Amino acid sequence: MYRPVVRIGNWFEDICLETDKIVQFKLSRDRGELLVEKTRHLFDNFHKEINLEAPKENIRFGAVVQLMPVDLHVCEYSSSDIHPALSVIINERVVRHSQKINDECELTIAPSVKPCVRNSFRIVSGDEKDRENELLKYGQQFRLECVETEDDPLMLFSAPKSSGLSTMIHTTFDSRKFGEVNLPLGLCYKRNCGPGKEIPMAFTNWYCQHIDPHKRFETDGTPLPSNKPLVITHLATNRNLAAENVVIQTLFGPEFLVSVQNYKNVYKRETWKNIWMISNGHQFK
């Protein structure tokens, strides 16, 4: 059964298969289809450095900023050491067909050594009016756009749960409060928002509140200070942007989950999870 002729034929077939694998590998490499090549392009695109707005006393529409939790009460981590910022991530499933920020990406809180594409956002008006260079005020609606998608804006949004307690935003990881899954954050193209579209435009609107509940009435309508603690609230759900004390492993390393949820103490004041600041690069001087 295994005569020399048969053995030689099997060996020749194995050699042909190995040769074909090498040829296919070279073709995939030349076309940039190898996963290692895609990963390299991914890191180049996501870590492209961005210039934030020049440090000013107040935040303006059109400014490129970072959203940073003021403090992280998590063991072995200090906000002053890692400079955490709201960031965009991409999972392994998506990276195979796209190496740029898109609506399938997710959001986390990641260390921010320098401002780059994945952790910087542009503040735009929430009422479809051109408010370029106008001061953003407490209680005023605004939207957050990814900086590399001006032609087809990609905006940060959240959404309330449906009657079945499901959400339109699908994420790899989730966080919970008292056993209930928190509202996640997502990205959506502006072309998919509005009347008759998949996502109501109101789901992309946010506004800021003073951290002291007793001062919110008197500060409403006053200019929003930069690099100061505040509360960022989602308009449609009336829930706050929240940093979760849950560490996950991503393609960029260990990062923290982020959600839209209210965390208050017995005095009805927001806890550290809901306290943020809109930074214009003060730590990079």
Side-chain angles (χ1 to χ4, degrees):
M1 181 177 179
Y2 295 102
R3 293 182 298 174
V5 176
V6 176
R7 292 181 179 177
I8 292 174
N10 290 341
W11 294 339
F12 183 72
E13 182 181 1
D14 292 340
I15 292 173
C16 290
L17 289 174
E18 290 298 325
T19 303
D20 185 63
K21 285 182 180 179
I22 294 174
V23 172
Q24 293 299 325
F25 174 82
K26 290 182 178 179
L27 289 175
S28 298
R29 181 195 60 188
D30 295 338
R31 292 195 296 260
E33 295 178 353
L34 295 178
L35 185 58
V36 64
E37 293 288 339
K38 293 180 178 180
T39 304
R40 185 178 294 113
H41 292 319
L42 167 73
F43 277 83
D44 290 341
N45 293 334
F46 275 58
H47 287 158
K48 180 181 177 181
E49 291 191 17
I50 292 293
N51 293 323
L52 301 181
E53 184 193 29
K56 296 178 181 178
E57 184 178 354
N58 300 108
I59 299 297
R60 299 174 181 271
F61 284 104
V64 177
V65 298
Q66 290 182 303
L67 275 63
M68 311 181 75
V70 174
D71 197 10
L72 287 176
H73 291 190
V74 181
C75 183
E76 299 180 358
Y77 291 93
S78 173
S79 299
S80 59
D81 296 333
I82 64 176
H83 302 300
L86 184 67
S87 304
V88 179
I89 62 168
I90 191 169
N91 58 45
E92 296 179 7
R93 174 182 56 83
V94 179
V95 75
R96 293 182 180 275
H97 62 81
S98 176
Q99 293 80 52
K100 295 183 178 181
I101 295 178
N102 56 69
D103 58 350
E104 293 185 271
C105 291
E106 302 174 24
L107 290 115
T108 61
I109 297 173
S112 171
V113 179
K114 289 185 178 180
C116 59
V117 169
R118 70 179 294 241
N119 59 31
S120 302
F121 300 88
R122 181 180 293 102
I123 295 180
V124 297
S125 173
D127 56 7
E128 302 297 336
K129 295 182 180 179
D130 184 10
R131 299 185 181 276
E132 189 79 14
N133 292 323
E134 290 186 20
L135 292 179
L136 177 63
K137 300 178 176 63
Y138 279 112
Q140 188 174 15
Q141 299 177 26
F142 65 92
R143 295 171 186 152
L144 294 165
E145 289 183 356
C146 294
V147 294
E148 285 287 284
T149 58
E150 290 188 49
D151 297 333
D152 191 5
L154 197 60
M155 299 183 294
L156 183 70
F157 85 108
S158 186
K161 295 179 181 179
S162 64
S163 58
L165 296 182
S166 60
T167 176
M168 65 173 62
I169 304 174
H170 303 288
T171 57
T172 307
F173 304 95
D174 57 55
S175 59
R176 298 171 184 267
K177 179 183 178 182
F178 303 136
E180 181 182 355
V181 177
N182 294 332
L183 297 180
L185 281 175
L187 296 174
C188 64
Y189 288 106
K190 188 175 181 179
R191 65 173 183 266
N192 295 331
C193 301
K197 300 295 181 63
E198 181 181 357
I199 301 171
M201 191 62 77
F203 288 1
T204 64
N205 287 354
W206 306 79
Y207 66 95
C208 294
Q209 302 182 86
H210 198 279
I211 59 171
D212 187 349
H214 299 293
K215 295 183 179 180
R216 287 176 184 170
F217 179 79
E218 61 188 73
T219 57
D220 191 50
T222 60
L224 193 71
S226 62
N227 306 316
K228 298 293 184 182
L230 47 80
V231 177
I232 302 175
T233 306
H234 186 236
L235 180 69
T237 61
N238 200 33
R239 297 190 183 185
N240 304 324
L241 189 64
E244 301 288 345
N245 56 347
V246 179
V247 179
I248 60 173
Q249 291 295 330
T250 71
L251 289 175
F252 301 95
E255 300 180 0
F256 296 94
L257 284 182
V258 63
S259 69
V260 178
Q261 183 60 274
N262 294 336
Y263 290 98
K264 298 183 179 181
N265 57 23
V266 295
Y267 303 105
K268 304 299 182 182
R269 296 173 65 105
E270 282 76 14
T271 64
W272 63 270
K273 292 185 177 183
N274 287 146
I275 306 300
W276 295 75
M277 69 177 178
I278 300 179
S279 171
N280 51 15
H282 74 292
Q283 75 267 32
F284 304 111
K285 293 180 181 179

